[in-house]
Amino acid sequence: MKNPIINDIPCVLLAGGKSSRFITNNIQINKALMPFESYSSLLEYQYMRLLKLFKKVIISAKKSYELNAPYLLEKESDLFSPLFGIYNAFLTLQTPYIFFIPIDTPLVSFESIKALCGIKDFSVVYAKSPTKEHYLISLWHQNIFNALSYALKTQNYRLSDLVKNTSSIAMHLDKEEEFLNLNTLKDYELAVQILKERTNG
């Protein structure tokens, strides 16, 4: 913890989503608050884990939580798009590069994150697994700010449109498992099982 590996790039943990598909006992719940590993919540797990790699980790959310951490609050309470969190992060942090990662991708390896943070010639460097592009597991440069601002102004919230129309590059990573996205309770249970097997194996 004393000597973080990445100290020149802040990490923003995106936690402003709706969790619309995360349902237990027919009730929609906020997956950020689900217990995970030995932590009281997925939010705490991700925050504490990323602090081992980044000197600065900030949580982007609609509201602050009980977890004692720095927050970037998204003002658009009724609009749900990660673009708001990304825009707000650049506006507030005033830094050339920011690494973004969603709250619900707890299996992404430090090796993959370090590889993404090591390429600095593009507006966006994003992860690509064998089956999918992961635009939110990515390193962004501030030169995308005007395009980001225009996308929000014109209400074009499609991440793929923004990324593909800028100077971007996909980093091909071959382990599909680490990009498991906890959209549903079933995904969450699978992630818990994977980590359990890693610990026992």
Side-chain angles (χ1 to χ4, degrees):
M1 196 75 109
K2 286 181 185 172
N3 296 303
I5 299 162
I6 301 171
N7 56 21
D8 58 336
I9 300 170
C11 173
V12 171
L13 185 55
L14 297 166
K18 270 199 284 196
S19 298
S20 56
R21 286 180 280 167
F22 204 95
I23 294 162
T24 61
N25 300 323
N26 295 320
I27 299 167
Q28 181 190 329
I29 61 169
N30 186 345
K31 57 188 162 189
L33 301 179
M34 287 289 285
F36 201 79
E37 286 281 90
S38 58
Y39 292 90
S40 63
S41 66
L42 177 60
L43 184 72
E44 185 184 11
Y45 172 83
Q46 280 280 62
Y47 176 70
M48 296 307 293
R49 175 177 177 262
L50 291 163
L51 268 182
K52 292 172 186 168
L53 184 61
F54 291 91
K55 184 179 179 183
K56 193 174 186 181
V57 179
I58 307 109
I59 298 166
S60 176
K62 297 288 185 195
K63 60 174 186 178
S64 52
Y65 291 94
E66 283 183 19
L67 179 66
N68 184 17
Y71 290 89
L72 282 168
L73 298 182
E74 299 171 21
K75 298 181 184 111
E76 301 76 17
S77 57
D78 55 342
L79 293 170
F80 293 88
S81 167
L83 293 185
F84 291 112
I86 295 168
Y87 176 84
N88 190 32
F90 276 112
L91 198 63
T92 309
L93 300 177
Q94 296 290 311
T95 185
Y97 288 96
I98 302 174
F99 181 77
F100 293 96
I101 188 167
I103 179 75
D104 55 5
T105 54
L107 304 181
V108 180
S109 70
F110 281 2
E111 288 71 28
S112 294
I113 293 172
K114 283 188 275 186
L116 288 161
C117 289
I119 301 174
K120 294 185 177 173
D121 300 325
F122 298 88
S123 298
V124 183
V125 181
Y126 61 93
K128 187 179 188 313
S129 63
T131 64
K132 195 180 174 192
E133 284 94 359
H134 304 275
Y135 299 119
L136 291 179
I137 301 168
S138 48
L139 179 71
W140 293 54
H141 186 266
Q142 63 184 1
N143 65 14
I144 202 170
F145 189 78
N146 288 341
L148 194 52
S149 183
Y150 182 75
L152 292 175
K153 201 177 284 182
T154 56
Q155 299 181 358
N156 181 359
Y157 303 135
R158 285 177 65 89
L159 261 173
S160 57
D161 286 355
L162 177 64
V163 173
K164 297 247 168 114
N165 288 316
T166 56
S167 164
S168 64
I169 189 169
M171 173 168 279
H172 294 260
L173 299 157
D174 58 5
K175 292 179 184 169
E176 194 71 53
E177 182 183 88
E178 70 174 294
F179 298 102
L180 175 65
N181 193 295
L182 312 194
N183 285 318
T184 65
L185 181 62
K186 193 177 177 184
D187 298 329
Y188 166 84
E189 288 168 347
L190 179 57
V192 169
Q193 185 60 35
I194 288 167
L195 286 173
K196 200 174 184 180
E197 285 169 7
R198 282 184 191 174
T199 307
N200 296 338

